[in-house]
Amino acid sequence: YYVHNVKKFFTTIGTEESPKHLSIKGSFFCQQNTFTSVCAHAALRMAINSSPLLDAPKLTNKRINDILKEKVKDELRIELKDLKNGLDQERIQAVVEELGYEFHSANFSENIQIEYDQFIYPSLESCFPVILGIQGYNTSHVVSVLGHTINSDRWSPEAKCGYGNYPIQYYISSASWCGHFIISDDNYGMFVTLPSDMIRNFIVPTKNPNLHATMAISILPNEITLRGYEVEQRAIVIAQKLVNDVKLEPPNVWHNRMKEKDLVLRTLLQTKEQYLSFIRDNASNITETQQQCFDNLPQYVWVTEVSLPNIYTGNKHK
């Protein structure tokens, strides 16, 4: 179990003369009251207030309603009396933007080629929260995704590629070994596990009567403009070219396997300092040109690790 969105919360008990200060590590949880808040309020608060990396004052229902009433564009403005209809994706994103964060979103009903788990995984494993929209036969709902589980013995990631599966995949995302996503649902409780295949769109979403993913919003710092999902799509093209262009004499067994087997890609966000610290610890012959590239990196960088299934699942520390 990897609950990435946890932080320390501070409180005080006892008397004024003899107080005891406590810190509790956990995730924020709240519920809608259906009058001044709906599930989107709860999901926003659980996501933002739980993140260890989003530095902001505690988000309240009043703050969200003030934004929706006064700060957003005219067409998105909404009064308390209209909350019974819930908040759509645009209004949730408008709140995130007004709070000073970047949002990366996807609508899985319109972009049916995107696998919802591959879209949310890079942000989630980078310790940034995700709001996930789901739809059933007679309801639409949003939950906060705070973490995931890993099952390194899962059969399906390699089997789907090895035995053939539609749509055709050119690599295996590390999200494929996620057995569950750890979510907080204001209706059914905190830290519940959502089986990753339970809400997958196996058929066109608009024709899907089963519970399925409709949209996702990753909440990140303002400086991050490129989506992790897009990074991974670009990375596989570069990785395959590098593997095929390298010539080794004598031939190397692992290099041959990388040319023959499906590659595994794991993408996560790092600060420039985290990334350069790793480089300094593992590289002994950095050229002047490479060093100049490192010096010119922005504050945040997406890093994609390239591996093979039997290496990725064999290394329990990853």
Side-chain angles (χ1 to χ4, degrees), residues 14 17 29 46 77 84 90 113 125 139-140 160-161 178 217 230 235 240 249-250 256 302 306 309:
E17 296 76 21
F29 182 78
M46 289 188 287
R77 216 157 270 152
K84 61 181 182 295
E90 278 190 301
Q113 77 278 9
E125 195 170 23
T139 188
S140 294
K160 282 180 180 178
C161 288
C178 267
I217 302 171
E230 294 170 345
Q240 288 175 333
E249 290 297 337
N256 289 337
W302 287 106
V306 181

Side-chain angles (χ1 to χ4, degrees), residues 31-255:
Q31 293 175 290
Q32 61 180 305
N33 61 26
T34 71
F35 294 106
T36 61
S37 64
V38 292
C39 62
H41 288 69
L44 274 165
R45 294 178 66 199
M46 289 188 287
I48 291 173
N49 291 342
S50 297
S51 173
L53 300 178
L54 299 177
D55 184 22
K58 179 181 172 183
L59 183 61
T60 64
N61 291 333
K62 183 180 185 306
R63 177 77 172 109
I64 295 171
N65 289 333
D66 287 347
I67 291 171
L68 292 170
K69 187 178 178 181
E70 301 168 7
K71 303 288 187 181
V72 299
K73 300 174 185 174
D74 291 342
E75 63 271 19
L76 298 178
R77 216 157 270 152
I78 190 170
E79 298 283 345
L80 284 178
K81 60 184 174 62
D82 300 318
L83 282 180
K84 61 181 182 295
N85 298 320
L87 299 181
D88 57 19
Q89 182 175 344
E90 278 190 301
R91 287 188 171 92
I92 296 173
Q93 291 171 177
V95 172
V96 172
E97 203 167 32
E98 179 61 31
L99 291 171
Y101 302 124
E102 181 69 41
F103 65 84
H104 295 174
S105 62
N107 185 319
F108 306 120
S109 298
E110 297 175 358
N111 300 312
I112 59 176
Q113 77 278 9
I114 301 178
E115 292 287 353
Y116 90 95
D117 54 347
Q118 292 182 22
F119 181 84
I120 70 175
Y121 191 84
S123 297
L124 188 61
E125 195 170 23
S126 303
C127 296
F128 292 103
V130 173
I131 294 175
L132 181 65
I134 55 177
Q135 188 168 322
Y137 175 69
N138 61 354
T139 188
S140 294
H141 190 51
V142 288
V143 299
S144 295
V145 189
L146 306 175
H148 61 85
T149 69
I150 288 288
N151 179 2
S152 59
D153 297 316
R154 205 174 190 199
W155 173 78
S156 57
E158 292 177 83
K160 282 180 180 178
C161 288
Y163 294 134
N165 189 65
Y166 184 84
I168 297 170
Q169 295 181 327
Y170 298 99
Y171 72 97
I172 306 175
S173 167
S174 57
S176 303
W177 280 278
C178 267
H180 303 78
F181 288 105
I182 300 170
I183 67 171
S184 283
D185 178 359
D186 74 312
N187 286 324
Y188 296 114
M190 62 187 75
F191 294 151
V192 290
T193 52
L194 168 68
S196 59
D197 286 339
M198 180 179 174
I199 59 169
R200 192 178 302 284
N201 281 299
F202 291 108
I203 60 177
V204 177
T206 54
K207 309 294 184 185
N208 193 349
N210 301 315
L211 202 62
H212 59 278
T214 55
M215 67 89 174
I217 302 171
S218 300
I219 305 173
L220 304 115
N222 241 337
E223 298 85 354
I224 302 158
T225 55
L226 192 61
R227 301 191 296 182
Y229 178 80
E230 294 170 345
V231 169
E232 201 159 89
Q233 306 305 301
R234 298 183 189 189
I236 184 58
V237 176
I238 298 169
Q240 288 175 333
K241 185 177 188 310
L242 287 172
V243 168
N244 292 325
D245 285 353
V246 167
K247 308 297 181 187
L248 292 180
E249 290 297 337
N252 178 284
V253 63
W254 287 109
H255 183 223

